[in-house]
Amino acid sequence: MAACATLTPEEKAAREAERLENLRTAVINQRYKISITSIKPIRGTSRSVSGGHWIKVDSTSLDCSLPYAGLDDVPHVKSRAEVRMDSKLDFRSDIQDYILQLHPNDKSATITFKADFHGLEQKFRIIIDAGGNAKIHLEPEGRDMIDYEGRVN
């Protein structure tokens, strides 16, 4: 029978401090990936999503693969609005107007930026807490707003 390794309080504190510093460095350097765990459309109910959905920020670029559920009203694509429940936002784009606000009191960060998806502006607001949990609010031009939750990898 193998013995369980138990960390001392000092070791736990050191690991937590290291994890927080790695997370902080990734956010400040604009090099992080958020794996999506749930989707909260403005119309319909929240639901969990399995792997394969993310946003990845790498310096000045965004790689995005997000599920989408909501009103899709893009005049140059469709002649009328349509509520879609199994759509995706898959794109790569340059990031514009990246703003990072660190909140030392509650050990969180708020990030806002814009990206272009087929000529339509996508506004992102991301809140990352000390535990690595992320809440993403997306305002896609010509579509309903939508929220996501995930984890920073």
Side-chain angles (χ1 to χ4, degrees), residues 69-123:
L71 184 65
D72 184 355
D73 188 15
V74 185
H76 69 276
V77 177
K78 294 181 174 54
S79 60
R80 62 180 169 76
E82 180 179 321
V83 175
R84 300 186 54 107
M85 297 309 283
D86 295 317
S87 182
K88 290 186 180 182
L89 295 172
D90 286 328
F91 65 96
R92 288 190 175 111
S93 175
D94 289 336
I95 293 174
Q96 302 154 6
D97 303 330
Y98 190 96
I99 298 171
L100 168 63
Q101 295 174 309
L102 296 174
H103 309 289
N105 291 345
D106 61 357
K107 296 181 182 176
S108 67
T110 302
I111 302 157
T112 58
F113 60 88
K114 298 174 188 171
D116 181 76
F117 176 60
H118 300 294
L120 299 172
E121 184 177 82
Q122 313 296 305
K123 295 179 186 177

Side-chain angles (χ1 to χ4, degrees), residues 15-88:
R15 281 193 180 179
E16 177 67 11
E18 180 181 2
R19 189 188 59 73
L20 277 172
E21 186 56 33
N22 290 342
L23 179 61
R24 186 176 191 276
T25 300
V27 170
I28 288 172
N29 292 334
Q30 293 177 233
R31 295 188 186 282
Y32 54 91
K33 180 178 178 181
I34 301 172
S35 296
I36 304 302
T37 56
S38 69
I39 177 175
K40 296 180 179 182
I42 200 167
R43 302 168 198 267
T45 58
S46 299
R47 60 184 169 176
S48 296
V49 294
S50 54
H53 302 290
W54 71 87
I55 67 167
K56 182 179 178 185
V57 173
D58 189 5
S59 188
T60 60
S61 64
L62 173 71
D63 183 7
C64 182
S65 178
L66 296 171
Y68 181 78
L71 184 65
D72 184 355
D73 188 15
V74 185
H76 69 276
V77 177
K78 294 181 174 54
S79 60
R80 62 180 169 76
E82 180 179 321
V83 175
R84 300 186 54 107
M85 297 309 283
D86 295 317
S87 182
K88 290 186 180 182

